[in-house]
Amino acid sequence: MKISLLDIKIIIVNVFSVDWINTIRLNSKLPWKIARYLPIWVYKCKIYKLEGKIEIDSDYIKVGMIRLGQNLTPLFHPSCGVTLSLSKGGLLAFKGPGMIGAGSAIEIGSSGNIVFGKNFGITATFRITSRMSITVGDNFSCAWDVNIFDTDFHEIYDINEDKILDTEKSIKIGDDVWICQRCLILKGANIPRRSIIAASSLVNKSLESDISNTLYGGIPAKVIKRGITRQDFIDFESNNMLDITRGTRLKHL
């Protein structure tokens, strides 16, 4: 792993926008052989807790390959930044490059873990909270104002059954999933590969796991149309994305 001329150009372009102090703090959680490349960049970052683990599970390591809080849509979201809370015992893991836009928040409790697959692209004002487990597949595409929570945050008591209900359930999102703006993904959600979740939809259960290339929508979400997917996901089959932060593809290398 070497720092290339492209890496240097990327650093120069971002030198005045990256929050270097908090960038160093986050990267210090990684093993030195990875941390020395500063693979994680944050922008106007507010850190409430940084006690848990951060991991990058990938052989591909580049400067600024993971960017949190970057202003990707300045026309619609002029503010910039990300808030982060990582409790002791919690885990934030990445399997490759990706970007989360401005006005976003990541919160992980002491028993929570969030794993992002490679090449995730999240526009802005994205909020994700884990008290148990949230797994996001490769090539995840997400518009603005999307919330993903694997917890109810508060205990719910069933008076008739005289018991406290499960307040936490894991969430799984497959590869090549596109979640459109203003969606809410709640505990127990399971979104299969090659799904599109229409704008302003609610997913609070496991969708049909044996079906791909499907558009879901509504409250709660249900099948709207089968045999439909995003063109980018078709392109990835023959021209796979290597690094979304650089716009490079495998066959070009």
Side-chain angles (χ1 to χ4, degrees), residues 85-97:
S85 179
L86 178 58
S87 297
K88 185 177 181 180
L91 170 67
L92 175 60
F94 304 94
K95 293 187 176 181

Side-chain angles (χ1 to χ4, degrees), residues 4 20 24 54 61 70 85 114 120 130 137 139 166 177 198 200 213-214 230 236-237:
S4 66
W20 292 110
I24 292 171
I54 298 177
I61 302 295
Q70 186 175 14
S85 179
I114 298 174
F120 56 92
S130 177
N139 305 320
D166 292 335
V177 167
S200 300
N213 302 317
T214 301
R230 185 165 168 163
F236 291 159
E237 291 181 349

Side-chain angles (χ1 to χ4, degrees), residues 114-252:
I114 298 174
V115 180
F116 287 97
K118 62 185 179 183
N119 292 313
F120 56 92
I122 299 168
T123 304
T125 52
F126 171 76
R127 295 167 183 85
I128 185 168
T129 294
S130 177
R131 296 287 190 274
M132 182 175 279
S133 174
I134 300 175
T135 304
V136 179
D138 296 342
N139 305 320
F140 177 61
S141 182
C142 183
W144 58 89
D145 294 339
V146 169
N147 295 329
I148 302 178
F149 307 135
D150 70 0
T151 176
D152 291 330
F153 293 99
H154 303 283
E155 291 183 339
I156 306 298
Y157 183 73
D158 187 326
I159 296 175
N160 296 321
E161 296 290 334
D162 189 26
K163 66 178 182 179
I164 295 175
L165 301 179
D166 292 335
T167 58
E168 298 159 2
K169 292 181 181 178
S170 62
I171 292 174
K172 295 182 180 179
I173 300 174
D175 296 341
D176 300 343
V177 167
W178 178 20
I179 297 180
C180 298
Q181 62 267 29
R182 296 184 301 278
C183 285
L184 179 59
I185 314 299
L186 295 180
K187 68 175 189 181
N190 189 331
I191 302 176
R193 175 180 179 271
R194 285 281 184 89
S195 296
I196 299 175
I197 309 300
S200 300
S201 295
L202 164 68
V203 181
N204 61 353
K205 62 182 179 180
S206 180
L207 302 179
E208 298 178 65
S209 59
D210 59 338
I211 297 176
S212 59
N213 302 317
T214 301
L215 171 65
Y216 299 89
I219 303 176
K222 61 182 180 180
V223 174
I224 295 177
K225 188 173 182 179
R226 293 189 171 96
I228 188 169
T229 189
R230 185 165 168 163
Q231 180 62 48
D232 292 337
F233 301 150
I234 299 295
D235 293 342
F236 291 159
E237 291 181 349
S238 58
N239 191 9
N240 197 16
M241 178 69 72
L242 174 68
D243 187 341
I244 190 173
T245 64
R246 287 159 169 78
T248 53
R249 306 219 178 199
L250 285 175
K251 79 174 190 178
H252 293 158

Side-chain angles (χ1 to χ4, degrees), residues 5 8 10 21 31 73 99-100 112 129 161 225:
L5 180 59
I8 295 173
I10 290 172
I21 293 176
T73 54
M99 300 181 291
I100 297 178
T129 294
E161 296 290 334
K225 188 173 182 179

Side-chain angles (χ1 to χ4, degrees), residues 35-51:
R36 59 181 174 161
Y37 294 97
L38 295 179
I40 302 173
W41 285 0
V42 292
Y43 300 73
K44 292 185 178 179
C45 182
K46 174 67 175 179
I47 297 176
Y48 289 94
K49 292 182 182 179
L50 193 58
E51 301 167 353

Side-chain angles (χ1 to χ4, degrees), residues 1-4 7 11 20 23 27 30-41 61-65 246:
M1 294 182 290
K2 296 181 179 180
I3 296 180
S4 66
D7 295 333
I11 292 174
W20 292 110
T23 288
N27 283 280
L30 300 168
W32 169 245
K33 65 179 182 179
I34 296 176
R36 59 181 174 161
Y37 294 97
L38 295 179
I40 302 173
W41 285 0
I61 302 295
K62 288 289 183 178
V63 171
M65 60 179 272
R246 287 159 169 78

